[in-house]
């Protein structure tokens, strides 16, 4: 598995080895030993999955506060997403900066989202099935978010009128969000 670090500390794209032939393909989507050899030491304790029936569904931007902050390892089983991370670590030199990647059933890439990052994605095609591992359980009292279209972030989303949950429509701007002072 190749680990391609992003410009933000701890964030990375993971590219598994895919062995394909006329029948289809085989790959290891997760191997703790291989990741540990690459310096990724997270212990994932829960798997989550979401299905978005339509293109243009936007989920996010979500994060959890300490002591329940989560590292996520995100991948697409079917379909394709425009995946976004935002550094919300107030002491970070990249605070408030974002990065996007395309994850799809075709490129088999995975995104490692460290603690201290908000995460969201927009589906590019109907019936996109996304799964992700986390290293901390969901905690409603620590659950927070940032408004997807915060002008200060200026995220270049692939839609202007996304399909949003009621919760995701009401997140605050980054400047008004509750953040951990360090992560």
């Amino acid at each position: 598995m190749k680990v391609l670090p992003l410009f933000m500390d701890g964030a990375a794209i993971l590219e598994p080895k895919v062995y394909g032939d006329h029948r289809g393909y085989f790959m290891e989507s997760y191997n703790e030993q291989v990741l540990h050899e690459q310096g990724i030491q997270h212990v994932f304790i829960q798997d989550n999955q979401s299905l978005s029936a339509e293109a243009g569904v936007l989920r996010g931007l979500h994060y959890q506060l300490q002591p329940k902050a989560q590292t996520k390892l995100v991948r697409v089983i079917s379909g394709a997403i425009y995946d976004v991370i935002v550094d919300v670590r107030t002491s970070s030199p990249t605070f408030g900066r974002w990065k996007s990647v395309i994850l799809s059933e075709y490129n088999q890439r995975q995104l490692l989202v460290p603690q201290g990052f908000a995460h969201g994605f927009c589906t590019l095609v109907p019936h996109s099935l996304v799964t992700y591992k986390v290293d901390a359980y969901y905690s409603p009292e620590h659950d927070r978010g940032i408004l997807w279209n915060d002008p200060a972030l200026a995220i270049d989303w692939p839609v202007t009128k996304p399909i949003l949950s009621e919760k995701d429509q009401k997140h605050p701007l980054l400047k008004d969000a509750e953040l951990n002072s360090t992560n």
Side-chain angles (χ1 to χ4, degrees), residues 89-165:
R89 301 170 298 172
T90 57
S91 61
S92 170
T94 57
F95 173 75
R97 292 182 60 192
W98 61 274
K99 177 71 177 166
S100 66
V101 297
I102 303 291
L103 302 180
S104 76
E105 67 183 286
Y106 303 106
N107 68 20
Q108 299 296 345
R109 287 180 150 191
Q110 300 176 54
L111 180 62
L112 182 65
V113 183
Q115 293 180 9
F117 285 75
H119 173 254
F121 64 85
C122 182
T123 58
L124 299 172
V125 297
H127 306 291
S128 290
L129 183 60
V130 178
T131 184
Y132 57 99
K133 297 180 173 309
V134 294
D135 67 351
Y137 295 111
Y138 174 70
S139 174
E141 4 358 297
H142 296 87
D143 185 30
R144 299 294 185 276
I146 299 167
L147 192 62
W148 70 278
N149 62 349
D150 182 338
L153 296 175
I155 296 171
D156 188 20
W157 291 105
V159 295
T160 54
K161 294 183 180 179
I163 302 164
L164 296 161
S165 70

